[in-house]
Amino acid sequence: MEIFLNTFLVLLGALFSVLNPIGAIPFFVSLTQDYKKSERSRVSLWTAVNVCIILLISFFLGEYVLSFFGITISALRIAGGILIASSGFGLLNANQKKRKGISKEVEEDLQNRNSIALTPLAMPMLAGPGSISLLIAFNQDHHSTPEILSSVFSIIIVSLLIFLILRSAHYLAKYLGASGIVAISRIVGFLTVAIGIQYIISAVLSIIRGI
């Protein structure tokens, strides 16, 4: 039970920091400002479902993708750490619209907004390279049955939190204001940078021990 709980809390905290649904609030509000309440709820639900599916696929099948391309777990940790830290620096700078690979061209294409739950909200706004690489690396170190179950539970819970936050995005944006959202994003950004640096340190120590 202790292993289950520890794994659950560690992965839940890491995923929430990297996914940063709080930071996605301004983007979600701008995309759904003309939507009805029921439509916003539907988009929130499908965004959370898509994120959950993407994360589960990354957790269970990511290892085989690495094997196919001949990528070592240390290389993945370093690359993932850089991406995670880069994402954190973006949050610290409060540069929401340019984070996680969302270009100006993509934003202009989103004016149609026929289906935004998968792209760009689920990917790459939330489930980007940082969270995917984090899960692949996490699976390498946590492969016992209790750890796998707790990891799946963490993914489900963080997806539920994404749904609740996005569903309340318009209320949160009004209550927190722009400065409040920026402040929270910067706090989460600092934690995200720390997570990324820790991944790089772990990879370097692993390489040194293997020499």
Side-chain angles (χ1 to χ4, degrees):
M1 185 63 184
E2 183 178 354
I3 295 177
F4 181 95
L5 185 60
N6 288 340
T7 304
F8 167 74
L9 293 176
V10 168
L11 185 57
L12 180 65
L15 278 178
F16 190 85
S17 298
V18 175
L19 293 170
N20 187 30
I22 299 294
I25 288 177
F27 198 77
F28 180 85
V29 170
S30 66
L31 285 176
T32 59
Q33 58 184 344
D34 298 328
Y35 285 25
K36 297 178 181 178
K37 184 177 179 180
S38 60
E39 293 174 331
R40 291 198 295 264
S41 297
R42 185 176 67 251
V43 171
S44 302
L45 175 60
W46 280 108
T47 299
V49 170
N50 289 331
V51 168
C52 186
I53 293 173
I54 293 169
L55 296 182
L56 287 173
I57 291 175
S58 301
F59 183 76
F60 286 106
L61 300 181
E63 179 183 357
Y64 302 102
V65 175
L66 292 183
S67 299
F68 180 79
F69 288 103
I71 302 173
T72 65
I73 188 61
S74 295
L76 178 76
R77 281 174 175 159
I78 293 174
I82 293 172
L83 287 170
I84 293 169
S86 176
S87 175
F89 281 119
L91 295 175
L92 285 173
N93 294 326
N95 193 7
Q96 299 297 332
K97 289 190 176 182
K98 292 185 179 180
R99 60 186 284 266
K100 296 192 178 180
I102 299 178
S103 64
K104 183 178 180 181
E105 290 77 11
V106 174
E107 290 177 5
E108 291 174 352
D109 290 338
L110 291 175
Q111 296 303 316
N112 296 327
R113 292 183 298 176
N114 293 323
S115 179
I116 62 173
L118 178 59
T119 303
L121 288 176
M123 179 183 282
M125 188 69 187
L126 291 167
S131 58
I132 292 173
S133 58
L134 184 151
L135 284 172
I136 295 174
F138 196 85
N139 179 264
Q140 294 287 318
D141 298 329
H142 303 81
H143 40 259
S144 67
T145 300
E147 290 173 327
I148 291 175
L149 290 176
S150 63
S151 298
V152 172
F153 189 51
S154 296
I155 292 173
I156 293 174
I157 293 299
V158 80
S159 300
L160 178 60
L161 291 175
I162 288 172
F163 166 68
L164 294 175
I165 290 172
L166 293 184
R167 191 172 184 271
S168 308
H170 285 257
Y171 301 105
L172 291 174
K174 183 178 180 180
Y175 179 75
L176 295 175
S179 59
I181 292 174
V182 168
I184 293 176
S185 293
R186 286 180 175 174
I187 294 172
V188 174
F190 178 78
L191 297 175
T192 304
V193 171
I195 292 172
I197 293 175
Q198 183 61 54
Y199 261 71
I200 295 173
I201 293 173
S202 298
V204 171
L205 291 176
S206 178
I207 293 173
I208 293 174
R209 293 191 191 102
I211 297 176

